[in-house]
Amino acid sequence: MRKIQLGNTRVHLPAIGLGTWGMGGKFQADLSEDEKHVRAILKAVELGMTHIDTAEFYGQGHTEEIVGKALSHLNREEVFITSKIWPTHLNYKDALNSVKSTLRRLRTDHLDLYLIHWPSYEVSTERSIDVMNAILDKGYTRYIGVSNFSVSELETALMHSKAPIVCNQVKCSIEDRSAFESGLVEYCKSHNVSIVAYSPLNRMEFSVEVKEKLERIASKRKATVVQIALAWLTTQGILSIPKSSEESHIIELSQAGDLILNNEEMDFLGR
Ligand code: NAP
């Protein structure tokens, strides 16, 4: 599995990690398939997808419980756990409650990376970043970052934060190139902020044009459409966190981890 450096840190994460949105429910907890999701996470880790992305919002906390159950079968050092704080919790007191609850559900004493899930409408970026720095200082997480931040929000965050903001997790795929078009990818690259691509498969919705192009490269490379879609990101140094609860899909995702496209293929797919 190819590794990509996280921000300016010493950490190198697998190009393909694992998303967990929908495991154990989306907006509400769903306890009906916990074992399946735990098995999926364990399979992903076994295959090198050791970066697990979750959030307190997912399944109203139940997704973190599922990740915690999987973690109880693993060495903590084997995995890199990212979670996210919901923007309405970004005052100091609520944020401490949030991170402590997240750690309890995850059955661990620290996160590897803690992100602001979305910019807050109520708390300024400066104050939100202060709260994240305080959480870092208390040792609840090794690194902090943001998600869904625009260039100007990120600029404010970077200017204000004492600690490095190591990533901006944003929607990014061969189908949805808005992070490129807005200049966000370029800005992040020039400021040592990793882009972590969420919905890197665009939830499997590809336009006819994109799908045909992916199929062309896939058949040449003896790979699949899914793998070429992920390789399009990896080739540009972008980390991705596709979600799957199906063992066969996870195998397919992990096998994309070493796939790099050449210039001709990238030109054909469009950068
Ligand atoms: P995604 O990863 O682009 O797509 C997930 C969908 O693709 C699932 O329905 C999955 O179904 C299917 N899939 C995965 N591998 C497949 C394969 N090999 N063949 C066929 N289908 C496959 O979308 P996402 O879940 O929105 O994004 C990924 C992760 O990013 C999330 O889980 C979450 O952790 C994170 N995220 C973050 C934010 C944010 O605001 N920061 C927002 C959205 C998502 P199966 O389970 O059946 O395989």
Side-chain angles (χ1 to χ4, degrees), residues 21 53 147-148 169 199 201 203 241 243-245 249 252:
W21 169 245
D53 177 76
S147 176
N148 297 302
Q169 187 183 117
S199 305
L201 302 173
R203 300 195 173 163
I241 45 167
K243 178 267 170 187
S244 179
S245 300
H249 291 172
E252 185 180 353

Side-chain angles (χ1 to χ4, degrees), residues 20-21 25-26 53-63 84 117:
T20 60
W21 169 245
K26 291 183 173 171
D53 177 76
T54 190
E56 65 171 342
F57 183 76
Y58 297 177
Q60 293 191 337
H62 187 54
T63 307
K84 316 184 199 79
H117 204 146

Side-chain angles (χ1 to χ4, degrees), residues 18-23 26 36-37 52-55 58 63 84 86 115-118 146-148 169-173 196-206 224 226-227 230 240-253:
L18 183 72
T20 60
W21 169 245
M23 293 190 187
K26 291 183 173 171
K36 175 182 170 176
H37 300 308
I52 313 290
D53 177 76
T54 190
Y58 297 177
T63 307
K84 316 184 199 79
W86 196 243
L115 309 182
I116 298 177
H117 204 146
W118 287 88
V146 297
S147 176
N148 297 302
Q169 187 183 117
V170 294
K171 194 164 190 224
C172 185
S173 66
V196 178
Y198 75 68
S199 305
L201 302 173
N202 203 41
R203 300 195 173 163
M204 293 305 287
E205 284 174 19
F206 297 112
T224 66
V226 159
Q227 290 169 338
L230 294 177
S240 60
I241 45 167
K243 178 267 170 187
S244 179
S245 300
E246 295 300 326
E247 180 168 326
S248 62
H249 291 172
I250 288 170
I251 293 169
E252 185 180 353
L253 296 172

